[in-house]
Each structure stands twice: as structure tokens, then as C-alpha cells.
Amino acid sequence: MSKALTFPKKFVWGVAAAAPQIEGAAFVDGKGESVWDRFARVPGAVDNGETLDVACDHYHLYKQDFKLMRKLGIKNYRLSIAWPRIYPDGDGALNQKGLDFYNRLIDSMLDQEITPWVTMFHWDLPQALEDRGGWRSRVTVDAFRGYSQTIVKAFGDRVKDWITLNEIICFTALGYGQGDKAPGAKESQQVINQTYHNALLCHGVGMQAVREYGGRRARAGITDNSPVFIPVSETEADIEATKRCYADHNARILAPIYTGAYPASYLRSEGKDRPIVAKGDMELISVPTDFLGLNIYCGTFVRAKRSGYEKLPFSESYPSASCTWLKHTPQATYWGTRLPHEVYGVKDIYITENGCGYYDDKVENGEVFDLHRRDLVRNYLVELHRAIQDGVPVRGYFLWSFMDNFEWQDGYKTRFGITHVDYKTQKRTPKLSAHWYSKVITGNRIV
Ligand code: GBH
């Protein structure tokens, strides 16, 4: 077979998941209520009124889940820690049982020779903090300082790779603006800009916690779902246009982290709605990172126009996964990694999520034939391989997700796993895509 699609020697292959989407045990062993626990109980917020209460019951089944991972040859697992398990009220009283749980969990991963990549925050803000202002307020930044220091001190002897936050846009703009994610608020543009800013401060605070308490080998970065843009044709003009479009759309998050300032054009366009910035904020936000994590699912096509650029709309018949926002755009892994490298000079990029969600993965005679997923992921990997060939410093790839899970406002019908979960029996069945991915990982090349 051709060797053409082999990855670099130390390339990191893994799978990803997040505490609120798989753990269940939402009110067990002293865990506090999260904004998602609350939001899921608002009528109409989540499809079919589904909740996070039980999910995949990973809280009780983690040992068997890690055994299955090992069987599939998975050596890296991106997980998240539930803040309300550690501090039920966000700050104040520490819940020892929460620390005990993650100690057992991490030990059990290590027993199976799986390396943990830990996300400090994947959207499950303690409701008690929301009641004190949530992301609108610096109260959350102070609480995050205590929380991040506690977990780095507790687990830093075994965890070396830390991700501060997952997808700022999703818990700020979508939670406080659009209102379709928790806490389901609808705030003014100024408040929304302030939620971004407060989240960026938490990123800086989390970086400091790792620098201070993580030990010499510890590394840290953030995971962002930066909007991805793809030149409709790979001509110089369209590529230039796409770069401009990319820089405009990443002014809120990547620009401050990697340049230490909000772009003047962004501040001008926000006018009186711009975030309030205190002395020292921008230094904290732009503390140097060790890597950038990117969640890449799809991109938008762009072409050059005399006055700049133009984003092209998708037609009705453009192929997508069952969740229609996820357009089949494999070039997203190419341009989505090349542009942050070229525009912001980012070195050491990891794809911390990529995958696809479908409604109709069914177990038939013990098997799940998700050829649709295998093909889609394969195409995304081919483009990722091309990026690496072209010199883009991509160091690893985490597939979302290890198993079907709670897909936020879509509930359980959208399945993102390479392992099928029967929510009645909690039976796990690796899908065709899991067996295929296992071959990719163990051979370090696309098959
Ligand atoms: C990631 O988010 C999350 O990190 C992960 O928890 C999640 O399960 C996974 O991806 C799969 O969704 O306004 O209709 O165009 C991806 C987040 C999803 C955010 C799509 C923007 C746009 C929906 N993105 N969403 S729409």
C-alpha cells in the first residue's frame, strides 16, 4: 500500500469528550447544579426535554470505557473536569468527593496506558456563579482562579497537558446573546462583549495556574472554534481574500490572545459596546501558550471581490451531516490550521475536535455500519495530511467523540460517537468507524 498518507512520527492521535455530556450523576456525591442542569429543565430548551442527569453514566462506567479505549488502541483522551463537582458553588467550599472521583478516573486511565488531556472548562458553569453574574462578571474570573489552581495542584502530578477553556463563543455569545445554549440569556451587545473578555481573562488565569503549579513538563493552551474560511479556489486572490475574512472574524478571541490587543477595526466597529478593559488585562489574556487547540467541523467558502471578500452561502442541496450546520467541507482542516499559523504565527496546533453527528446510527446484529462517518472523517484527515505536508505545524488530532453523548440543545438524537451507546441498557458498541480509526491510529496513517 502507498506510504503517502503517513503522519509524522510523534503525531498524537486521540478521542475527545466532555464531562457534562457523558458523566451523568448530575446530583451525586455532592456535585453542584450547573447552568446546563438548570437550562435543560426549561421547557423547550432541549429537544424532547432531555437532561444531563444520566447521560452515558460514565461516572460509574469509566473503567469499562477506558478498557474499551485501550482495546481500540486509543492512547490519548481529551476529557473535561466538571467545575461544580470540585466547587459546588463555584468557589468557597471544596467538595472532596469530586476530587476523589477525578483521582480515580485519572488513575484508571493511566492503568490502561491512556494519556489524559484535560479541559478545565467545557461549558458547565456552576449555577451559583451564574446567580452572581456568571460570565458577565469578574466574580467568575476570581472563582476560576481558585478552581484552576486547585485542579492543577491536585492532578498535575499525572496530567501534563491542559486546555483552559472550550469554545468561548459557545458559552458566551450563544448563551448570553442568541440564548439557545445555557444559561439562555439575551443580553445587550456590550454585555456579550464583556462575557468574551471575562472568558479570555479566565484563559489567562488558567495558563498562570499551570505555569505556577503544573510542574516543569506541563503545557497549556486553549481550545477555540475559530470560524474557518476556505478559498473557493486556491488562487492567490481568493487566498488573500480568505485571509482578510479570517482576520476580521477572529478579532474577538484569537487576535487578543496572540497579538495582545483587540484589533482597532473591531474596537471601532463595536463603538460604545466595546468591552471594558482594565489595566493588565491584555497582558494576562496574551500570556504565551504552548499550543492552540482547534475544534474544526466545517468552513465557509470565500472569494475575492473588488472591494475585499465575499462569503458564499450554502445551497439547500450542499451535503451535510444530520445536524445541518455541519457541512461536508474537508478543506476546513487544511485552511482551519494553515490560517492561524500564517495570520497569527501560531506554532503547535492540535485539532482537539473533529467528527460528525448523525441520527440514524443503529446496532444491527451487533454492528453499526456508519460508513457515512468513516468517509467524512477520512476526507477531513486527507486534508489535514495535506496541511502537514505544506508545513503547517499540526501535532495531533482528537476525534469527537469516543461515544454517543448529550449533544446540548439537540439532546441524545444526534450521535457523534465512534462507539454507539444504548441509553436504555448503557451498552457500548464500537461502530465501523471505531474499528477503522483504530487502524489509522495504530498504523499512523490514513487507511
Ligand atoms: C463542539 O461544539 C463542542 O465542543 C462539543 O461539546 C459538541 O458536542 C461538538 O462540537 C458537536 O457539536 O447556529 O444552527 O448554525 C461545536 C459547536 C456547533 C457551535 C454548531 C455552533 C452552530 C449551530 N458548534 N453551532 S447553528
Side-chain angles (χ1 to χ4, degrees):
M1 227 199 255
S2 130
K3 291 194 79 180
L5 294 175
T6 296
F7 280 73
K9 261 207 192 76
K10 287 196 177 146
F11 196 77
V12 171
W13 292 103
V15 290
Q21 295 176 272
I22 60 169
E23 283 180 1
F27 302 98
V28 168
D29 287 343
K31 176 178 162 291
E33 185 188 22
S34 79
V35 291
W36 270 95
D37 294 326
R38 174 77 60 97
F39 185 63
R41 285 173 166 73
V42 174
V46 176
D47 270 17
N48 299 317
E50 287 165 339
T51 70
L52 306 75
D53 295 5
V54 179
C56 310
D57 201 23
H58 181 68
Y59 190 83
H60 298 108
L61 302 177
Y62 63 88
K63 273 193 188 153
Q64 71 162 65
D65 288 335
F66 295 146
K67 277 191 189 144
L68 177 57
M69 272 187 205
R70 183 187 201 160
K71 229 169 129 188
L72 292 167
I74 295 163
K75 295 211 154 61
N76 294 279
Y77 172 44
R78 173 176 175 240
L79 65 148
S80 82
I81 291 179
W83 185 350
R85 276 198 205 288
I86 308 294
Y87 287 104
D89 295 327
D91 57 10
L94 178 73
N95 178 34
Q96 186 57 42
K97 284 189 174 160
L99 284 179
D100 294 346
F101 167 66
Y102 288 108
N103 271 320
R104 292 196 301 276
L105 188 91
I106 291 166
D107 287 345
S108 154
M109 285 178 64
L110 295 174
D111 280 349
Q112 300 300 331
E113 291 171 7
I114 300 163
T115 302
W117 294 65
V118 173
T119 305
M120 297 174 175
F121 180 74
H122 200 123
W123 308 359
D124 45 356
L125 188 76
Q127 179 64 40
L129 273 181
E130 173 58 23
D131 296 341
R132 291 156 68 197
W135 290 104
R136 305 167 191 84
S137 161
R138 284 188 186 239
V139 165
T140 297
V141 182
D142 291 333
F144 191 79
R145 183 172 293 111
Y147 163 64
S148 57
Q149 291 183 354
T150 296
I151 59 174
V152 172
K153 283 181 195 164
F155 312 126
D157 56 336
R158 288 153 291 160
V159 174
K160 297 298 163 201
D161 297 284
W162 295 93
I163 293 160
T164 55
L165 306 175
N166 181 71
E167 300 190 350
I168 288 181
I169 293 275
C170 289
F171 62 86
T172 55
L174 303 186
Y176 293 85
Q178 213 163 297
D180 59 352
K181 283 193 170 19
K186 288 202 167 55
E187 299 289 357
S188 68
Q189 190 54 42
Q190 200 289 322
V191 172
I192 296 166
N193 286 334
Q194 206 63 44
T195 64
Y196 290 127
H197 188 72
N198 290 334
L200 287 166
L201 292 171
C202 281
H203 159 66
V205 159
M207 289 295 308
Q208 286 183 333
V210 174
R211 295 282 183 257
E212 237 167 287
Y213 302 105
R216 266 193 305 122
R217 282 175 42 234
R219 305 186 318 143
I222 190 171
T223 279
D224 188 31
N225 60 327
S226 327
V228 173
F229 297 97
I230 304 165
V232 74
S233 71
E234 295 190 355
T235 57
E236 217 175 290
D238 282 352
I239 292 173
E240 273 315 305
T242 305
K243 266 193 202 173
R244 273 206 300 280
C245 177
Y246 180 84
D248 283 351
H249 288 81
N250 285 288
R252 287 183 160 84
I253 299 189
L254 288 187
I257 292 175
Y258 286 103
T259 71
Y262 288 113
S265 55
Y266 165 67
L267 293 176
R268 216 177 309 119
S269 74
E270 296 304 306
K272 63 178 185 0
D273 294 333
R274 59 174 62 182
I276 298 160
V277 178
K279 205 161 160 262
D281 282 3
M282 299 317 290
E283 287 75 14
L284 179 58
I285 289 170
S286 59
V287 165
T289 61
D290 298 308
F291 59 82
L292 172 64
L294 293 169
N295 293 350
I296 298 183
Y297 289 95
C298 53
T300 301
F301 289 101
V302 172
R303 69 176 172 192
K305 218 180 153 192
R306 215 168 314 139
S307 54
Y309 56 80
E310 177 185 25
K311 294 187 272 180
L312 300 175
F314 288 105
S315 71
E316 279 272 314
S317 45
Y318 194 92
S320 71
S322 300
C323 33
T324 50
W325 58 267
L326 210 164
K327 305 296 180 199
H328 193 151
T329 49
Q331 307 95 316
T333 52
Y334 181 88
W335 291 100
T337 55
R338 179 172 153 177
L339 292 183
H341 176 57
E342 283 183 7
V343 174
Y344 300 113
V346 177
K347 295 187 204 80
D348 296 306
I349 295 171
Y350 292 84
I351 294 201
T352 40
E353 288 180 27
N354 171 243
C356 44
Y358 293 98
Y359 300 153
D360 56 356
D361 294 338
K362 275 192 215 61
V363 183
E364 279 159 320
N365 300 321
E367 294 184 292
V368 184
F369 282 111
D370 60 339
L371 283 165
H372 39 285
R373 176 174 290 100
R374 188 192 72 172
D375 261 44
L376 192 133
V377 171
R378 191 180 188 284
N379 290 339
Y380 278 69
L381 284 179
V382 169
E383 285 288 312
L384 182 64
H385 185 268
R386 178 165 79 99
I388 296 170
Q389 294 308 102
D390 285 0
V392 182
V394 185
R395 312 295 183 209
Y397 173 94
F398 293 78
L399 200 155
W400 183 274
S401 181
F402 174 62
M403 58 184 160
D404 297 334
N405 60 55
F406 179 79
E407 178 54 15
W408 309 109
Q409 66 271 32
D410 288 351
Y412 293 97
K413 77 170 184 301
T414 306
R415 295 175 176 272
F416 267 87
I418 54 171
T419 299
H420 182 274
V421 175
D422 179 328
Y423 292 108
K424 287 204 188 80
T425 61
Q426 292 297 350
K427 187 174 163 41
R428 312 323 196 205
T429 308
K431 303 177 190 179
L432 178 81
S433 57
H435 298 298
W436 168 80
Y437 190 54
S438 171
K439 287 197 193 117
V440 172
I441 293 176
T442 46
N444 196 29
R445 60 183 193 145
I446 304 172
V447 291

